[in-house]
């Protein structure tokens, strides 16, 4: 039995994919840096996935593991389609998620003494630049990394939704439409 450990944030990526897969799993909504989270991940970070005696960490590694294992919501390793999917995921993480994470770290994650004021003013234009490039990569496609819904869509939609939650106003109509399509999925709504 699969057990997802963690609550909110990137844990929702894992829960979303499990719902898309129709997989059986249990969910331990441990908080970051709680004793339960440290028991699963020595860094205390979420999410973690317990699969039998194995415990996996990092949402992206877990997404790849689950999709590869099921042979769904991914493309086969060693194919050009997989390389495109991986490149799109890496783009989202570096160009769009990183600025949001910078704001979060200096807004509430880091101890107050380590926070640097003004990070939002730096990060928001970085996100806007990434969003414009996201629109260029998406074009008029329904999905972000090819003809099929994949893990890249989970990462991209989760990141766009995180931006909205962080009160970043999306400027791209294409990004807004894409986010609307992805969050209309039954598995997203269930999570």
């Amino acid at each position: 039995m699969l057990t997802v450990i963690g609550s909110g944030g990137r844990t929702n990526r894992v829960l979303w994919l499990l719902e898309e897969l129709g997989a059986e799993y249990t969910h331990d909504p441990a908080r970051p840096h709680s004793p339960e989270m440290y028991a699963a991940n020595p860094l205390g970070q979420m999410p973690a996935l317990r699969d039998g005696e194995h415990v996996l960490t990092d949402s992206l590694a877990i997404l790849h593991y689950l999709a590869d294992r099921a042979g769904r919501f991914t493309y086969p390793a060693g194919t050009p389609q997989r390389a495109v999917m991986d490149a799109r995921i890496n783009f989202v993480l570096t160009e769009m998620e990183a600025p949001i994470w910078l704001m979060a770290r200096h807004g509430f994650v880091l101890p107050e003494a380590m926070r640097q004021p003004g990070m939002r003013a730096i990060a928001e234009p970085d996100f806007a630049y990434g969003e414009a490039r996201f629109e260029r990569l998406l074009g008029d496609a329904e999905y972000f990394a090819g003809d099929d819904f994949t893990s890249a869509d989970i990462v991209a939609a989760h990141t766009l939704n995180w931006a909205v939650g962080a009160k970043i106003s999306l400027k791209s109509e294409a990004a807004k439409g894409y986010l609307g399509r992805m969050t209309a999925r039954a598995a997203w709504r269930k999570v």
Side-chain angles (χ1 to χ4, degrees):
M1 173 65 76
L2 299 171
T3 301
V4 178
I5 306 159
S7 57
R10 293 179 183 112
T11 302
N12 288 343
R13 294 174 178 169
V14 175
L15 295 171
W16 184 4
L17 180 56
L18 286 167
E19 289 297 329
E20 293 283 355
L21 290 167
E24 289 187 34
Y25 66 92
T26 59
H27 181 208
D28 175 358
R31 301 293 305 156
H33 306 290
S34 65
E36 298 84 10
M37 210 62 244
Y38 277 113
N41 180 347
L43 300 177
Q45 296 172 329
M46 52 183 207
L49 177 75
R50 182 172 286 115
D51 183 4
E53 63 187 52
H54 303 285
V55 177
L56 308 172
T57 60
D58 183 82
S59 66
L60 183 55
I62 295 168
L63 291 180
H64 282 315
Y65 172 75
L66 292 170
D68 285 344
R69 190 175 94 153
R72 296 175 59 207
F73 307 113
T74 189
Y75 296 104
T79 64
Q81 294 87 352
R82 177 62 173 261
V84 168
M85 185 188 85
D86 289 346
R88 298 290 170 97
I89 290 171
N90 290 335
F91 166 81
V92 170
L93 295 178
T94 58
E95 300 293 322
M96 298 174 74
E97 185 184 79
I100 303 168
W101 182 230
L102 183 68
M103 288 188 299
R105 286 177 54 83
H106 290 278
F108 62 89
V109 174
L110 290 172
E112 199 162 332
M114 294 177 66
R115 296 177 194 168
Q116 298 296 315
M119 283 299 158
R120 186 174 190 96
I122 294 168
E124 276 197 81
D126 279 353
F127 179 85
Y129 179 69
E131 181 188 3
R133 295 174 67 198
F134 172 85
E135 181 176 34
R136 190 174 318 136
L137 288 172
L138 180 64
D140 60 358
E142 183 172 358
Y143 301 113
F144 189 48
D147 295 333
D148 305 299
F149 177 85
T150 66
S151 298
D153 295 298
I154 290 175
V155 174
H158 176 267
T159 302
L160 287 166
N161 191 63
W162 187 13
V164 170
K167 302 198 180 347
I168 297 172
S169 181
L170 298 181
K171 294 171 179 46
S172 164
E173 291 303 318
K176 290 177 195 175
Y178 170 83
L179 180 59
R181 289 192 307 278
M182 296 304 108
T183 57
R185 295 178 70 88
W188 166 273
R189 289 193 314 270
K190 187 166 183 186
V191 170

